[in-house]
Amino acid sequence: LDKNKFEDALNLIKHRGPDDKGIYFEKEIFLGHRRLSIIDLSKAGRQPMTDKYSGAVITFNGEIYNYVELRNILLSKGYTFFTKTDTEVLLKCYLEWKNDCVKYLNGMWSFAIWNPNERKVFFSRDRFGVKPFYYCFNSECLSFS
């Protein structure tokens, strides 16, 4: 994987996320994000977002309408939050319920979560495809947007 080519590709969608950008990479995975800040306008909402405790990483497009309610459920289960974003709530939902996390979501979304402990990526898009998920799989890699 070439970090410069990845960054060039990410810059092609600058118009979709003019407020900020972020890149996460390790040996076998690159995750990038262009941000349009809507909820928690601070730098704390920067993506890709990494969970401090598990190391799981999310890149997310959309809005989780019931994130306040989900946050309260997760707080009661002992989770700690460092932002006021629906992104962090979504990441913690995944940590609590794994792939079943989508059963709890009300909103529109497309996201990828890298779980470094299991060496797996979990992808999801909302039930109606409001936030599309595109991918390409070839002999070199899996790319998605």
Side-chain angles (χ1 to χ4, degrees):
L1 295 173
D2 183 323
K3 184 179 177 191
N4 291 327
K5 285 183 182 179
F6 182 80
E7 195 159 353
D8 289 345
L10 193 58
N11 286 333
L12 291 174
I13 60 168
K14 182 177 182 176
H15 63 285
R16 297 283 299 143
D19 297 332
D20 197 9
K21 79 172 180 181
I23 296 175
Y24 170 89
F25 64 94
E26 62 176 66
K27 182 180 174 184
E28 59 195 337
I29 188 164
F30 279 67
L31 294 176
H33 190 83
R34 293 299 312 204
R35 183 172 184 213
L36 175 63
S37 303
I38 296 174
I39 297 174
D40 191 342
L41 307 181
S42 74
K43 293 288 183 190
R46 174 173 264 180
Q47 293 186 52
M49 182 181 286
T50 304
D51 179 68
K52 179 178 177 177
Y53 302 108
S54 69
V57 184
I58 186 171
T59 184
F60 160 61
N61 178 34
E63 185 176 353
I64 305 302
Y65 304 138
N66 62 330
Y67 80 98
V68 173
E69 295 86 352
L70 291 169
R71 186 177 196 273
N72 288 334
I73 291 168
L74 293 165
L75 282 168
S76 73
K77 292 178 172 283
Y79 285 88
T80 303
F81 290 86
F82 300 96
T83 74
K84 302 218 182 292
T85 64
D86 54 349
T87 304
E88 186 179 18
V89 171
L90 178 53
L91 182 54
K92 304 284 185 174
C93 283
Y94 170 78
L95 294 172
E96 177 65 22
W97 296 299
K98 298 293 185 217
N99 298 7
D100 285 340
C101 67
V102 297
K103 295 177 181 177
Y104 296 86
L105 304 180
N106 178 6
M108 56 180 179
W109 68 84
S110 181
F111 67 84
I113 298 175
W114 167 242
N115 185 333
N117 298 324
E118 296 178 8
R119 314 298 296 164
K120 291 182 181 178
V121 181
F122 176 64
F123 302 104
S124 178
R125 72 163 176 84
D126 62 85
R127 294 163 190 89
F128 296 106
V130 175
K131 294 294 181 181
F133 183 86
Y134 300 100
Y135 67 93
C136 173
F137 183 67
N138 62 33
S139 62
E140 293 181 31
C141 67
L142 168 67
S143 302
F144 67 92
S145 174

